[in-house]
Amino acid sequence: VGSTEEDGGRYFATMPASDCAVCLETFNDTDCVPARLPCCQRETSTFGVCLGCLEEICNHYTVEAGRVGKCPRCRERLYVSADGVVSKAPQPRGKCRMCRQERVLLDGGKCDACILGTQFELTYECDRCGRHQRIPHPMWRYQATPGEFGTNTWACHNGCDDYTHWRVIEADLERVPMHDAPEGWRMLDQWLEQIREERLRVARARPEERRDHGRQGCVVS
């Protein structure tokens, strides 16, 4: 039976240690091998994830060429080696070559926010003038819910001539990547469901496709 566990003011639905919390399959030695997580897993932890699900996150929820994604629970950056060893990924800091802020640097000397912003350049509504503007930054991260304006500001070029607050326009809400949406958007379950569906598809695939889909080493962040 699953349980509820509190962590830093947030509650997580957890599965027994014998099950993967993402695909919900029982751990085994073949297609649901348990991953030893350096971030969320302790000897007494009831939370566990299989290597296959971590690799699925690497393959389909990325922000850079090095395949950076998110840990399904704490969003820690993790590295999965070719032989299935999971460790915390290096976090080199420096000045991002796009935003010029001191950040953890990922692909090409850019931070994850700038990489996501260029991959998902959405249109936002200004809270002051109400006009729309495309912004190359993940401003959705600062919205507590899809309908609220964010807490961080960006320069409005539509006549405000000032830094204002923004929210994603309704037409672009579906383009917000589920794996990066704030907790208040309640998209985590949809994201995990996508991973489960892809895992099921691969499990039903031809043997050669499963081999091609196999472990190659990746980063989960």
Side-chain angles (χ1 to χ4, degrees):
V1 178
S3 63
T4 302
E5 181 177 320
E6 184 176 6
D7 184 4
R10 297 181 300 173
Y11 287 86
F12 297 93
T14 60
M15 297 297 296
S18 59
D19 295 337
C20 172
V22 177
C23 67
L24 308 182
E25 295 295 328
T26 300
F27 289 135
N28 55 56
D29 296 329
T30 55
D31 56 357
C32 193
V33 179
R36 185 167 182 80
L37 303 176
C39 51
C40 295
Q41 193 168 3
R42 298 177 295 275
E43 289 186 5
T44 57
S45 177
T46 56
F47 180 85
V49 180
C50 71
L51 285 172
C53 285
L54 288 183
E55 290 161 355
E56 198 60 48
I57 293 169
C58 291
N59 291 332
H60 294 276
Y61 303 94
T62 66
V63 297
E64 60 163 325
R67 294 188 298 173
V68 176
K70 289 184 180 296
C71 168
R73 189 183 189 220
C74 72
R75 304 197 174 191
E76 174 68 76
R77 298 185 69 237
L78 300 176
Y79 175 74
V80 184
S81 69
D83 57 358
V85 176
V86 184
S87 59
K88 289 188 178 182
Q91 300 195 43
R93 295 190 65 86
K95 185 174 290 187
C96 172
R97 68 181 182 85
M98 288 189 66
C99 68
R100 311 306 296 171
Q101 300 297 311
E102 192 76 14
R103 296 283 189 265
V104 173
L105 300 180
L106 303 179
D107 188 41
K110 295 178 288 187
C111 67
D112 77 315
C114 286
I115 294 170
L116 270 176
T118 54
Q119 290 182 344
F120 300 92
E121 189 171 335
L122 308 184
T123 299
Y124 296 82
E125 175 190 351
C126 174
D127 72 333
R128 190 175 301 178
C129 68
R131 296 177 180 173
H132 296 174
Q133 179 175 315
R134 290 182 70 82
I135 299 179
H137 187 84
M139 299 298 288
W140 66 77
R141 287 183 167 181
Y142 318 118
Q143 294 180 228
T145 65
E148 296 181 54
F149 287 96
T151 54
N152 282 26
T153 60
W154 191 272
C156 176
H157 304 305
N158 294 312
C160 291
D161 195 27
D162 198 1
Y163 285 85
T164 59
H165 299 274
W166 302 84
R167 66 181 175 188
V168 180
I169 64 170
E170 186 174 357
D172 272 5
L173 284 175
E174 62 182 18
R175 296 182 56 208
V176 174
M178 286 189 287
H179 64 281
D180 196 73
E183 199 172 331
W185 290 43
R186 302 187 181 279
M187 298 176 73
L188 177 62
D189 287 343
Q190 292 175 270
W191 176 43
L192 298 183
E193 183 60 31
Q194 278 191 352
I195 300 174
R196 292 183 195 115
E197 290 176 358
E198 179 60 19
R199 291 274 285 143
L200 182 60
R201 186 195 69 79
V202 172
R204 292 172 174 171
R206 298 187 304 272
E208 57 269 24
E209 184 176 348
R210 290 201 297 269
R211 285 197 297 270
D212 292 341
H213 201 82
R215 191 174 303 125
Q216 300 173 356
C218 57
V219 175
V220 182
S221 155

